[in-house]
Amino acid sequence: MFDTKFAIVLQDDLPVWQKLNVTAFLTSGIVAQYTEIIGEPYRDRAGNIYNPLSIQPVIVLSADRPTLSAIHRRALDRGVTTSLYVDEMFSTGHDAANRAVFAEFAPDDAKVVGIALRAEKKLVDKITKGARMHP
């Protein structure tokens, strides 16, 4: 149904609260990049209106840190813009602090704990090679 794939890869040994937190942040980055994936508002039988949701399914994968680093590098090498979350961002409390700590690292030394991307299906599959379905 879709020519693209929306995938999130999380570090497999993160505590559940961190996995959920990272997933939320990474999803917001993809939605900001691809606003067309947001559908129409939802309305229940009583007429209450709810926020629109993504029209595209999201696949959630997991991987160890070396595999996440490889996925990060493959995305960069292929020119795919991603949402990225590094370990040090857990110790900050707001967006400016997140961006400041993020800027302290380069791809070779970033401790990636989560990455999200949306691109052509086969390309996403190649980039996320080594990740597995999240349990």
Side-chain angles (χ1 to χ4, degrees):
M1 181 172 179
F2 293 95
D3 296 333
T4 59
K5 184 181 275 190
F6 181 169
I8 298 172
V9 187
L10 302 170
Q11 184 175 309
D12 55 8
D13 61 354
L14 291 177
V16 172
W17 77 267
Q18 288 180 331
K19 288 179 181 182
L20 295 170
N21 182 267
V22 171
T23 299
F25 275 103
L26 296 176
T27 299
S28 70
I30 297 298
V31 171
Q33 183 182 9
Y34 298 102
T35 57
E36 69 274 12
I37 69 171
I38 298 301
E40 297 296 320
Y42 283 68
R43 183 183 306 264
D44 67 18
R45 189 177 65 212
N48 298 302
I49 297 176
Y50 301 87
N51 290 327
L53 301 175
S54 174
I55 62 171
Q56 184 169 14
V58 180
I59 184 170
V60 180
L61 306 168
S62 66
D64 58 19
R65 187 169 283 166
T67 303
L68 275 166
S69 293
I71 291 167
H72 179 207
R73 175 55 62 197
R74 287 193 292 261
L76 290 172
D77 290 348
R78 288 168 173 83
V80 175
T81 302
T82 65
S83 298
L84 195 72
Y85 202 99
V86 297
D87 188 61
E88 290 75 11
M89 292 166 69
F90 287 123
S91 64
T92 65
H94 55 87
D95 183 55
N98 278 346
R99 283 184 280 110
V101 74
F102 189 95
E104 294 176 12
F105 299 93
D108 293 338
D109 63 354
K111 297 175 195 153
V112 177
V113 298
I115 188 168
L117 62 153
R118 181 176 181 253
E120 188 271 324
K121 284 181 182 180
K122 289 182 182 181
L123 182 56
V124 171
D125 289 342
K126 288 178 184 176
I127 291 171
T128 60
K129 183 179 178 185
R132 58 197 174 285
M133 289 297 293
H134 192 282

